[in-house]
Amino acid sequence: MIYVQSPHPPGTVAVVTGELARYVDFEIGMDALQVPSGSAIVRIKGSSVSRNRNQIVEKYLHGEWVCFIDDDQIVPADTLLRLLSHGKPIVGALYSTKHVPFSPVALRAFDEKTRHYVPYQWREMKGLVPVRAAGTGGMLIRRSVFDLLGPPPWFHAQEFTDDIYFCNKAHDAGIEMYVDADARIGHTTTMNVWPDATHTGVHLEVDWLRIEIPDDGDVPPTAN
């Protein structure tokens, strides 16, 4: 994981990843990541993403913010500063799922009848969007949020992810959550999946499998 400590406002910013950085594009993005003036980056190894997140909040975070960026994400240089600019208690960057239908990792609501989460459609992702849950693979959280959530664990992997667990705790505590639809980051599988790349009719080569995204009107238009 990466721990970014700043002696200047807005305080300490921790950027946390898994134990091993698996992708060169992730490393390139982290090397170029813009952080608050005076910050320093220190790498810390851990055993699992959830354990790392809990540990860095509990033992290392003494300032105002923590930002989680998973090692299968690709971040533009201004991602952290963009998220900090909103001053929200929880705000995530926008990224796509790794697999078809390549939907936003941003959930609108929880349907009590079906017991499923309702995702946003790409056409709805504009500006700062309130969410019921979002991906912790690119998320900024104010330190005071963890005080409101009570004792750890704040993160616990369920079905291979800890996003929903954390967001449910925040929702139950009455904390607002947002996704900045203009802070778009990549998600890496056997290819790099960007929100702007998953437009209608695009063909993606994944190893020997050819995938065509259906023309359902729920994916973003082609980037100019």
Side-chain angles (χ1 to χ4, degrees), residues 13-164:
V13 179
V15 182
V16 185
T17 77
E19 181 178 1
L20 299 176
R22 294 172 287 172
Y23 305 106
V24 172
D25 286 341
F26 165 81
E27 292 286 3
I28 293 173
M30 294 308 302
D31 288 343
L33 185 68
Q34 299 169 4
V35 297
S37 177
S39 297
I41 296 179
V42 179
R43 291 181 178 268
I44 302 172
K45 288 187 177 181
S47 59
S48 71
V49 174
S50 294
R51 182 175 178 179
N52 288 347
R53 296 194 210 277
N54 288 314
Q55 183 181 44
I56 198 124
V57 173
E58 191 172 16
K59 295 185 177 181
Y60 295 100
L61 182 60
H62 306 295
E64 188 176 354
W65 302 97
V66 58
C67 182
F68 296 108
I69 301 175
D70 288 351
D71 60 6
D72 60 351
Q73 310 286 169
I74 309 167
V75 292
D78 66 345
T79 299
L80 177 57
L81 298 185
R82 179 183 288 276
L83 297 180
L84 282 167
S85 71
H86 298 295
K88 299 295 185 182
I90 301 175
V91 59
L94 176 61
Y95 59 97
S96 171
T97 56
K98 287 184 176 183
H99 308 292
V100 289
F102 297 114
S103 58
V105 186
L107 304 175
R108 177 200 301 279
F110 181 71
D111 189 324
E112 294 290 348
K113 292 183 179 180
T114 64
R115 307 300 297 173
H116 288 98
Y117 289 87
V118 181
Y120 274 100
Q121 305 300 323
W122 285 112
R123 61 173 178 267
E124 300 173 302
M125 300 306 296
K126 299 177 181 179
L128 195 62
V129 181
V131 295
R132 171 63 175 78
T136 49
M139 179 178 283
L140 178 74
I141 306 167
R142 190 183 291 274
R143 178 64 179 86
S144 58
V145 164
F146 298 100
D147 298 328
L148 296 175
L149 298 185
W154 301 288
F155 302 91
H156 176 66
Q158 296 176 312
E159 296 183 2
F160 311 107
T161 180
D162 53 17
D163 312 69
I164 296 298

Side-chain angles (χ1 to χ4, degrees), residues 149-192:
L149 298 185
W154 301 288
F155 302 91
H156 176 66
Q158 296 176 312
E159 296 183 2
F160 311 107
T161 180
D162 53 17
D163 312 69
I164 296 298
Y165 182 88
F166 170 76
C167 289
N168 280 341
K169 290 180 72 73
H171 173 77
D172 292 345
I175 301 170
E176 295 181 342
M177 293 172 277
Y178 298 85
V179 162
D180 181 352
D182 297 320
R184 301 192 166 206
I185 64 177
H187 204 177
T188 299
T189 173
T190 50
M191 60 187 174
N192 296 335

Side-chain angles (χ1 to χ4, degrees), residues 94-96 101-104 120-126 181 184 193-202 213-224:
L94 176 61
Y95 59 97
S96 171
F102 297 114
S103 58
Y120 274 100
Q121 305 300 323
W122 285 112
R123 61 173 178 267
E124 300 173 302
M125 300 306 296
K126 299 177 181 179
R184 301 192 166 206
V193 180
W194 288 85
D196 289 334
T198 56
H199 56 79
T200 301
V202 71
I213 299 177
D215 186 3
D216 58 6
D218 292 336
V219 288
T222 304
N224 294 325

